[in-house]
Amino acid sequence: MNFKIVSLLSIFILFGWNSTQEKKTTDLAYLVAIMQGIYSSEKQSIDDKEYFNISLRMTPIWKSKGHYLYVEQAMFEKQDSPYRVRIYKVSQRNNEFISEIYTLKNEKEWIGMWKTPEAFDNLVESDIELKPGCEVILKKQPDGTFIGQTGEKTCPSELRGASYASSKVTVTPTQILSWDQGFDKDGKQVWGAVKGGYIFDKIK
């Protein structure tokens, strides 16, 4: 084969691969960037009394270890007592984006630490525990939003008599739509919104 052709082919492969890798990195970084922030479902709670005014905070932590977000979810008037404290690890596998869910073993010690995210540098991996089967698999849509959900009956839950939980999520630059539901062993819903997910508007 002609040397020039080989050289051009090598350059094409090299730059083509770099372009693909750069796109993956860009998409992942973009997803994490639009996920972080402070959210409120206040508008939805005003429009529909079946929904509560919920506060959602997602703060980047552990930057040297990857893409991690510290998450607190609370009734708006009780933000110092969140009912959900989690860490999300966001990664990419081919064209899918995976948000793995971790609990904190001593979560009360970390409540409010979103104010000083550098404090999480003292967090070690033995302090968190993966919720297997509860990861949310997202895909980027043509309009730039990310839509996904948990696997079917893969996320165990014992809350209020549930057998498993499911989450459906849509992420945009200005909103996160989240529909969390719990079902018993017969598939009957026992907790979570009935009509549709919560609409969290980004306020900061």
Side-chain angles (χ1 to χ4, degrees):
M1 185 180 293
N2 185 284
F3 176 74
K4 288 184 178 180
I5 295 177
V6 173
S7 298
L8 288 172
L9 181 60
S10 299
I11 291 171
F12 175 79
I13 293 173
L14 176 63
F15 280 90
W17 182 86
N18 284 342
S19 177
T20 301
Q21 291 300 106
E22 183 179 353
K23 184 178 185 302
K24 285 184 177 181
T25 303
T26 301
D27 285 344
L28 177 59
Y30 175 69
L31 172 60
V32 175
I34 63 173
M35 286 177 69
Q36 60 189 265
I38 302 174
Y39 297 81
S40 168
S41 64
E42 181 179 15
K43 184 178 184 300
Q44 185 183 30
S45 71
I46 294 172
D47 295 338
D48 189 334
K49 299 303 180 183
E50 291 190 24
Y51 291 86
F52 298 102
N53 185 3
I54 305 295
S55 169
L56 172 63
R57 297 178 183 272
M58 305 182 76
T59 307
I61 62 168
W62 263 7
K63 293 183 180 180
S64 63
K65 297 184 179 183
H67 296 286
Y68 289 85
L69 294 165
Y70 171 68
V71 181
E72 285 187 8
Q73 199 165 321
M75 299 297 291
F76 193 80
E77 67 276 10
K78 297 181 180 179
Q79 295 188 47
D80 57 344
S81 301
Y83 61 82
R84 181 175 295 169
V85 179
R86 297 285 188 267
I87 288 178
Y88 295 170
K89 178 184 178 182
V90 188
S91 58
Q92 184 171 2
R93 181 180 59 215
N94 298 322
N95 293 323
E96 295 181 334
F97 300 85
I98 301 95
S99 178
E100 294 178 293
I101 315 299
Y102 290 81
T103 57
L104 291 94
K105 294 180 180 178
N106 300 305
E107 66 177 43
K108 290 184 178 180
E109 297 179 6
W110 300 97
I111 290 175
M113 289 294 186
W114 54 267
K115 300 174 185 175
T116 54
E118 63 274 8
F120 288 93
D121 292 343
N122 296 318
L123 187 73
V124 296
E125 292 185 8
S126 59
D127 292 329
I128 64 175
E129 187 172 353
L130 177 67
K131 289 176 65 67
C134 297
E135 64 274 7
V136 175
I137 309 298
L138 299 153
K139 290 187 177 180
K140 188 177 182 181
Q141 306 302 303
D143 64 357
T145 63
F146 295 82
I147 298 176
Q149 61 186 38
T150 52
E152 185 176 355
K153 300 182 181 181
T154 61
C155 181
S157 172
E158 297 179 353
L159 180 64
R160 302 175 196 164
S163 177
Y164 63 93
S166 73
S167 295
K168 297 177 181 178
V169 179
T170 298
V171 183
T172 80
T174 59
Q175 289 181 329
I176 290 180
L177 285 68
S178 178
W179 193 1
D180 298 330
Q181 297 171 286
F183 301 88
D184 65 16
K185 58 182 178 61
D186 298 318
K188 179 183 177 181
Q189 185 177 350
V190 293
W191 60 259
V194 176
K195 296 190 299 184
Y198 270 80
I199 301 172
F200 293 99
D201 295 306
K202 183 176 286 190
I203 58 178
K204 189 174 181 180

